[in-house]
Every structure is written in C-alpha cells, then in structure tokens.
Amino acid sequence: MIVVGIETSCDETGIALYDTARGLLAHAIHSQVAMHEEYGGVVPELASRDHIKRLAPLLAHVLAEAGIAKEAIGAVAYTAGPGLAGALLTGASFAEGLAWSLGVPALPVHHLEGHLLSPLLADDPAQFPFIALLVSGGHTQIMCVEQVGAYELMGESLDDAAGEAFDKTAQLLGLGYPGGPALAKLAEAGVAGRFKLPRPMLTSGDLNFSFSGLKTAVLTVVRARPLSAQDKADLAAEFQEAATEVLATKALAACRQRRLSTLVVAGGVGANRRLRQRLDEAGKRQGVRVCYPEMALCTDNGAMIAFAAAQRWLAGGYDAAREQQRAGGFAVRPRWPLQEL
Ligand code: KG4
Ligand code: ZN
C-alpha cells in the first residue's frame, strides 16, 4: 500500500510517499524559515497561510518524482498533533479532503511518534525494544519503546525543551531564528571551558532534564559585559557542551537501567553533530548501538508521518480513525501527550 504523509504542525510543509512494500518513494519539504526570520520566530497565522499554498504543488511534485498517479494512493496520513492549531488544520483538512476524494482512509498521526519511528526508515534499522531520546523544539523526552504504539515515558524536561534552549541561547547571542543550527555552527569556532556553564540535573539521579537555568546562565554572561565575536563563539561552544553532556549521559543511563543495547535519537536536535559524537563515543564504551534518522529526516518531514501511519496500519491500530471517518468528522490536537496513544 502507498501511504501519503502530510506534515504541517509548525513551520515546514512536508509531503512524502511511502510504500509498505518498497519503502520511501519520494519526499519533499518546503521550509518557511526565510518567511519567519524577520520576526525572530514562527508567526502561526503566516505559517497556516503558507502551508495552504504549498500543499497541492508539493503533492504534485512527489507524485511526479515517484512516477505514480494519485489513484495509486492507498491511504492519506497527516499530523493531527501536537503543534500549532491553525497549521495542523491546514494539513488535516487537505488530507481528509484528498482521502475522501480518492475513497481511501485518512490516518491521523502523532507528530512525536513520527519522530520516534523515523530512524527505522534507515537502511539498517534499529530493532525493538529500544530507548529513544526525543529532542525537538517542543519536547525533550526519554522513552522506552517496546514496539509500535508501546511508549513508556522514562524522563523529560521539567521546563524548556533542548531545541528551545538552543533557540533562546542563539537569540541571546544575536543569531536569529532558527537558532539551533546557527549556534552549532558558531560553536565550531569556539573553545568550550573558557566560560563555565552549569550541567543542570546531571547528577539528579533520575532521567529528567532542566534547560531554563542554562539559558539564564548564558544571559548572565551576556549582560555582564560586551562580548567579542570570539567570546560569543566560546560561549556557544560551552553551551553546546553543557546541553549535549546532560542529554548523552541520561540517554545512556536509560539504556543501562533497562539493559537495552539500542538507542534511537529523534527530533531536530538529533541533527547536532556534537550530540552525535558524544552519543557514539559513550555508546561504544557501553556496547550500545546508536541509531539516527538520515540528516534530512531529523527535522519535520512528511516521510516520518507516512512511515508511522504505515506501521500503525500494519499493526492494526487504526480502528478509531476508520470509525471517525465514517462519522464524517476529524479533529486536531494541539496538545497531545504521546503516552495517550
Ligand atoms: O523536530 P523539529 O524539526 O521540530 C519540532 O518538532 O520542534 O526540531 C526543531 C528544533 C529547533 O529548536 C532547532 O533549533 C533544533 O531542532 N535544531 C538543532 C539543530 N538542528 C535543528 N539544535 C541543535 N543543533 C542542530 N544542528
Ligand atoms: Zn518535530
């Protein structure tokens, strides 16, 4: 079966075609970064308007790339939450309309489940059960994943998400939006250790995180005196060291706790090279295999949505969706804890 995946939860319009027999056929992403840049963050109303404009052309693009007609589509998957309500509604209504016109099921998907399963799209995918480190702009969680749909929350951030901390720190350093990749790039030119930042909750004994204090510590340095370009790079490097040390340490502690030897990393911050380096090194010492999504599938995309829907479909997990479709209604959930799946 060919599943279309539609992602519009935030500032990327993503559409992909996934075939349960042949794998990923095509995927395309339109990023709104340039549009939101001048506002220093995502403007929800502008995001929704842009998704609406991009959806139909992107679908035509992936169909052409895969060389298939839209009648070959067997199901339409879309991100139903969590995310920006208006943005979610654009993808949901487009997907529901498309599914209805083709006479195929519409499959709502949890955005984080998409991220969580995205490393399984790799050539040599991880095997269940595994520990997952989910690090995005809105979430920082450690989950124990028994199988598709069985997600146990082991720890999470008590305040800011890791991506949010990268973004806010980048803003303090005058790097604009989106901050994570820009801060990581600046950190390459810096030396960690010249400024001393805390490693929040590193020795808390549990698997929770806190990143707001780290951001405040950066603010204190920024306010103390004017920073040179080298100062900023050194501060960025120290911030990256602090954040990635806590993330890597706790993710591997979770593997030890459950005696699991596979760690899956998902979400936008999973693109961070220093985080990957730390996880790889520590994983090697501990006999843990660390699996990442392809770089292009780390941030929001339609491929992970199509894939998660297909896995759920194959596991028989879509009765509720079919019931809902028969009733002719659909809903999005801007707030939607993954454990409620
Ligand atoms: O998963 P994602 O695309 O969207 C959400 O669902 O949140 O993650 C976006 C987050 C942003 O906070 C962005 O700054 C961060 O991922 N990010 C990075 C890097 N690339 C993206 N953070 C650190 N280093 C990176 N290379
Ligand atoms: Zn995401």
Side-chain angles (χ1 to χ4, degrees):
M1 180 170 74
I2 295 176
V3 182
V4 190
I6 296 176
E7 157 62 35
T8 63
S9 69
C10 190
D11 58 350
E12 256 116 22
T13 319
I15 299 201
L17 295 168
Y18 177 80
D19 186 338
T20 49
R22 290 184 292 160
L24 192 60
L25 302 180
H27 84 104
I29 296 171
H30 178 267
S31 166
Q32 301 177 353
V33 162
M35 187 180 78
H36 297 295
E37 206 167 15
E38 64 175 297
Y39 304 98
V42 179
V43 184
E45 174 65 18
L46 295 185
S48 309
R49 289 185 212 171
D50 199 65
H51 286 310
I52 285 283
K53 277 194 267 185
R54 307 288 169 186
L55 283 162
L58 271 183
L59 176 63
H61 176 86
V62 292
L63 287 169
E65 198 181 306
I68 61 167
K70 66 176 186 307
E71 287 69 29
I73 293 170
V76 184
Y78 63 93
T79 305
L84 301 169
L88 288 167
L89 277 169
T90 66
S93 38
F94 181 82
E96 292 280 350
L98 178 64
W100 182 81
S101 71
L102 294 171
V104 301
L107 311 177
V109 173
H110 192 293
H111 181 80
L112 294 182
E113 183 173 36
H115 276 304
L116 203 60
L117 299 180
S118 62
L120 307 189
L121 270 165
D123 288 339
D124 180 16
Q127 304 292 320
F128 296 110
F130 55 76
I131 297 293
L133 174 67
L134 237 172
V135 271
S136 72
H139 295 83
T140 300
Q141 300 183 327
I142 295 179
M143 322 268 320
C144 182
V145 181
E146 285 291 333
Q147 56 181 327
V148 173
Y151 312 120
E152 182 198 339
L153 183 66
M154 295 178 71
E156 65 182 335
S157 177
L158 304 177
D159 41 55
D160 292 354
E164 193 179 354
F166 268 89
D167 292 338
K168 287 179 175 171
T169 301
Q171 207 166 22
L172 291 176
L173 296 175
L175 294 176
Y177 152 92
L183 189 131
K185 189 154 192 304
L186 180 63
E188 282 173 23
V191 180
R194 233 194 88 212
F195 294 99
K196 292 267 185 282
L197 293 177
R199 270 56 174 166
M201 296 186 72
L202 183 64
T203 55
S204 61
D206 58 18
L207 297 173
N208 291 328
F209 302 94
S210 166
F211 289 107
S212 73
L214 193 50
K215 171 199 67 196
T216 310
V218 172
L219 181 64
T220 309
V221 177
V222 170
R223 282 200 175 146
R225 62 179 168 89
L227 297 180
S228 68
Q230 189 58 49
D231 289 340
K232 286 184 183 176
D234 292 346
L235 192 51
E238 174 68 5
F239 170 83
Q240 183 171 257
E241 285 301 299
T244 57
E245 183 178 348
V246 189
L247 289 169
T249 304
K250 298 221 171 185
L252 283 147
C255 295
R256 285 196 300 277
Q257 246 183 48
R258 294 296 163 97
R259 298 182 203 285
L260 291 178
S261 57
T262 306
L263 173 65
V264 154
V265 183
V269 184
N272 186 276
R273 289 185 195 285
R274 181 63 181 131
L275 177 63
R276 289 182 173 216
Q277 194 183 17
R278 278 186 182 281
L279 289 169
D280 289 342
E281 283 169 9
K284 211 171 194 173
R285 282 197 299 273
Q286 201 175 303
V288 167
R289 177 182 173 216
V290 190
C291 306
Y292 308 92
E294 267 179 52
M295 272 296 189
L297 302 185
C298 271
T299 48
D300 294 347
N301 64 83
M304 67 183 193
I305 301 305
F307 181 73
Q311 298 310 304
R312 258 188 186 267
W313 179 268
L314 294 173
Y318 265 115
D319 291 353
R322 285 197 292 273
E323 288 305 319
Q324 187 186 51
Q325 198 183 27
R326 265 198 290 277
F330 68 93
V332 295
R333 291 188 61 181
R335 290 175 190 278
W336 183 6
L338 187 59
Q339 305 85 266
E340 282 183 17
L341 274 183

